[in-house]
Amino acid sequence: MSKQFDVVVIGGGPGGYVAAIRAAQLGFSTACIDEMKNAEGKASLGGTCLNVGCIPSKALLESSENVERLQHKFAAHGITVEGMKFDLATMLARKDKIVSQLTNGIGFLFKKNKVTSLLGRGKLLARNGDKWQIEVRDGATVDTIEATHVILATGSTPRQLPGTAVDNKLVLDNVGALSMPEVPKRLGVIGAGVIGLEMGSVWKRLGAEVTVLEAMPTFLAAADEAVAKEAFKLLTRETGLAIHMGVKIGEVKVGKKDIKVAYTDAEGKAQTATFDKLIVAIGRVPNSKDIAAEAAGLQIDERGFVVVDHDCRTSAPNVWAIGDVVRGPMLAHKASEEGVAVAERIAGQKPHIDFATIPWVIYTNPEVAWVGKTEQQLKAEGVPYKKGQFSNVPLGRALALGENKGFVKMLADARTDRILGVHIIGPFASELIAEAVVAMEFGASSEDIARIVHAHPSLSEAMHEAALGCDGRTLHS
Ligand code: FAD
């Protein structure tokens, strides 16, 4: 007889592994199937995020920022280092060590919570009574298991540039971009989204000449316009990225040692750029192909997302889907929260996720983070709002850090004062945004933040001043 579980999760990324742990905590017999392997051929849990996404990118961003500090920022502190050099191999090994520490950690958490980890490719087959049959395939080894509930958490993979295959030697996706053994002299990046900008920043700081080509006319269109404008200015002027917006990519010729990209620039002029490496970062597509047999009756939309309702229920009974494979932002924390919520729904609980207060972060320098509505969205929706904005320029802590670029902007309802959005560009924006998320989740007004004591000197004082600014009473500008 096939092995039976209450819950089987397909995919062990931040959506799937968290769902599996929560389901096991709730007393369900749980298995998690994932096909990702490490160099030794063993399971490498954690999905895109831990293996080739969030974590390795942040490790390299930190290492490369240290190089940048030593080369360009420490002199202002009176610190100079003669003959500064860095060893890329050590930097990559440090990144790999962090990854394996975390992926192994999930194996430990699975054991602790009694989650069965199955290595292989999972596929939803058909329903047998009240049980789902699931195939687990690892090479020639094929097993079939059964589950009462199935959670699909298969994530996403990089979108391909039509006609240009990724070989991760010359043309790279995120996997190749995170493991280049040498710093390329000329690096091209197609796509000025979060991944393109983070990867471009890493390699620019390490010495590459980086050109970013983006089809959209508007830089960081999802961000608040004022933040996007400031980010464009700082990333081009200070980080030194050459960012070309509104381009139309033509032929990409991959040679033996270089890549020639023909494109039409925003003025309509034909251009050609030659690169030693090319990163393609034009978005990600959901992994929904081949996860279910036709008999499962799973509905997939025209963009490849598994169709779910607000609670992550699919069109098939007792089949749930979470994370990048369903609608909504492709963010690890969104995937994890959906995983927890689904496990709790299976247990009959009534969990809650507020999609309106999911924070967004871009880990460039300066960092960009936001939650809630942008000013352009409020204008388009005709919502009356007031705003407070405070620059980091005169902020004591920011000056002491030597990182006093950027600002905090708070948007509040003009009628009720309830905070509708907070937008930050500046040091540690990724950490500072948490205060705004909590405030919005609790339905706080700008006056609430204005009346909270913020430590001095701290970066959070900019949030305090922005809140005071909603009522026209900033103290330091
Ligand atoms: P995934 O993490 O993609 O995991 C899915 C897993 O399922 C994978 O292990 C895959 O191998 C496995 N799988 C797929 N199909 C099957 C199958 N049929 N059978 C078995 N296993 C299968 N997000 C953030 O929030 N913050 C960041 O800083 C951030 N940085 C990023 C940087 C980069 C370079 C990239 C590429 C992404 C980044 N993201 C970031 C996005 C984040 O990685 C994703 O949103 C997140 O990983 C989605 O989680 P998931 O569980 O839905 O899917």
Side-chain angles (χ1 to χ4, degrees), residues 10-16 33-36 46-49 52-54 57-58 120-123 153-156 174 178 195 198-199 284 287 290-291 322-325 330-333 335 363:
I10 306 183
I33 310 168
D34 195 282
E35 63 183 347
M36 214 178 275
T48 302
C49 180
V52 287
C54 327
S57 60
K58 276 34 189 221
R121 192 168 177 73
K123 183 173 185 170
T154 48
S156 61
N174 55 302
L178 287 163
I195 296 172
E198 289 186 4
M199 292 297 90
R284 299 183 58 88
N287 286 332
D290 308 326
I291 53 172
I322 58 172
D324 280 11
V325 79
M330 286 186 167
L331 293 169
H333 40 286
Y363 294 81

